[in-house]
């Protein structure tokens, strides 16, 4: 092995189909598999548990994250939920105060009801995590960079805290993608992805994934995977395998365009504040340089003195950027976090972490940079 990222993105987990020589992994559209005698099969029994198209994708994801075992899910939230199933009533979780809205919702609205306690702290301050660790702590769940204010958590520092306390560290690596950051190398036990975003990359599939290094942990996660059934279909797995073949090309283009958009917006008179970890004055810049290979394609801005209506007017006036939820696709998207992606977080709490009414999040796509800058200019000059 020992291949580089670009080679792995195109080949890992995949080999020519033994029956036909098909170079691309076939879509094994089957729920079940013939057995020669009861229990005598080729490693596949029923597709809730395993399917060859999905298996190819899982192996590819495991290699890209420098892990050993991958699991693909029907959504990012199904992947997150499967990690939470490792817990039992009385267990405690320490997590971030500016999480993806859906993660906040599943923690507080679903799993708190089952007797699991969540502590929300500023993940960029490891001492805040340390202060919440006690004998009931089982899991630390972090996201870095965060959504939408792009705060950084030092994965190696949090990994050390987790290791010292004997608790699991899970990292939601959706915003960075495996091209920019590999949490398992920095001490994480579990990497989670919303594959829907950069990994899929074309805004045509909803899918999630987990990657781990330890077989014992994989076996426990696989048990809940198979028992509960958040499995994706083979067509979607095929589409993601196809998307991953250009992950390195797309990510570099997202990073390059992201940098140009951030630099253009930084001095724009209508921009009061800008979040992009590539700026030296971004509070997480040093950590980003240390644990990421580039700064990504996400940029958030606060519009100077804009009311909710004025912010809506700007958000609705783009021609190349599309106003939509989600991120990480080849096309550029504009999002209004306060009412769209983060609508499920109470107003006081979201404002505390910077999700104000005049914040706009930009997922910079890979279109022509001149067209993107011109579209930003016409929308902001309105
Ligand atoms: C989208 C997203 C999720 C949830 O993933 P789905 O595929 O939408 O279920 C989790 N974390 C982050 C950071 C996300 O952006």
């Amino acid at each position: 092995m020992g291949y580089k990222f670009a080679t792995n993105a195109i080949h890992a987990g995949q080999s020519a189909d033994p029956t036909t020589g098909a170079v691309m992994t076939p879509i094994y559209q089957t729920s079940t598999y013939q057995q020669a005698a009861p229990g005598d099969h080729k490693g596949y029994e029923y597709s809730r548990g395993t399917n060859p198209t999905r298996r190819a994708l899982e192996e590819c994801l495991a290699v890209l994250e420098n892990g050993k075992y991958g699991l693909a899910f029907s959504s990012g939230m199904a992947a997150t939920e499967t990690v939470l199933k490792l817990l039992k009533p009385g267990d405690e979780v320490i997590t971030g105060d500016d999480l993806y809205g859906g993660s906040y919702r599943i923690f507080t609205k679903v799993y708190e009801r089952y007797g699991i306690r969540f502590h929300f702290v500023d993940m960029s301050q490891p001492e805040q995590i340390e202060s919440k660790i006690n004998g009931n702590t089982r899991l630390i769940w972090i996201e870095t960079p965060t959504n939408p204010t792009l705060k950084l958590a030092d994965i190696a520092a949090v990994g050390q805290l987790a290791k010292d306390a004997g608790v699991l560290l899970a990292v939601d690596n959706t915003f960075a993608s495996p091209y920019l950051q590999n949490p398992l190398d920095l001490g994480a036990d579990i990497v989670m992805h919303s594959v829907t975003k950069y990994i899929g990359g074309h805004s045509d599939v909803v899918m999630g994934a987990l990657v781990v290094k330890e077989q014992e942990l994989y076996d426990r996660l696989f048990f809940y995977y198979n028992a509960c059934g958040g499995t994706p279909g083979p067509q979607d797995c095929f589409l993601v395998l196809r998307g991953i073949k250009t992950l390195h090309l797309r990510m570099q283009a997202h990073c390059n365009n992201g940098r140009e958009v951030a630099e253009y917006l930084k001095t724009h008179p209508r921009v009061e504040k800008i979040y992009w970890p590539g700026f030296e004055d971004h509070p997480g810049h040093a950590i980003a340089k240390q644990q990421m290979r580039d700064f990504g394609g996400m940029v958030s801005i606060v519009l100077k003195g804009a009311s909710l209506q004025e912010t809506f007017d700007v958000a609705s006036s783009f021609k190349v950027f599309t106003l939509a939820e989600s991120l990480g696709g080849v096309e550029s998207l504009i999002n209004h976090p306060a009412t769209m992606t983060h609508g499920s977080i109470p107003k006081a709490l979201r404002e505390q972490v910077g999700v104000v009414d005049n914040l706009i999040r930009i997922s910079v796509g890979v279109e022509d940079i001149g067209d993107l800058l011109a579209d930003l200019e016409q929308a902001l000059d309105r």
Side-chain angles (χ1 to χ4, degrees), residues 34 49 64 122 173 225 231 286 334 348 362 368:
Q34 185 186 38
L64 294 183
D122 181 349
N173 203 26
Y225 180 92
T231 51
I334 291 284
I362 305 168
D368 179 84

Side-chain angles (χ1 to χ4, degrees), residues 123-142:
M123 283 284 158
S124 66
Q125 311 293 325
E127 60 281 3
Q128 288 200 18
I129 302 175
E130 201 169 7
S131 73
K132 297 289 181 198
I133 293 178
N134 64 46
N136 296 324
T137 311
R138 294 288 173 271
L139 175 69
I140 300 174
W141 179 280
I142 65 176

Side-chain angles (χ1 to χ4, degrees), residues 18-19 28 32-46 50-52 55:
T19 53
Y28 285 93
T32 190
Y33 306 83
Q34 185 186 38
Q35 307 195 3
D40 178 6
H41 53 73
K42 299 183 165 71
Y44 297 97
E45 294 167 83
Y46 185 61
T50 44
N51 169 283
R55 179 49 62 77

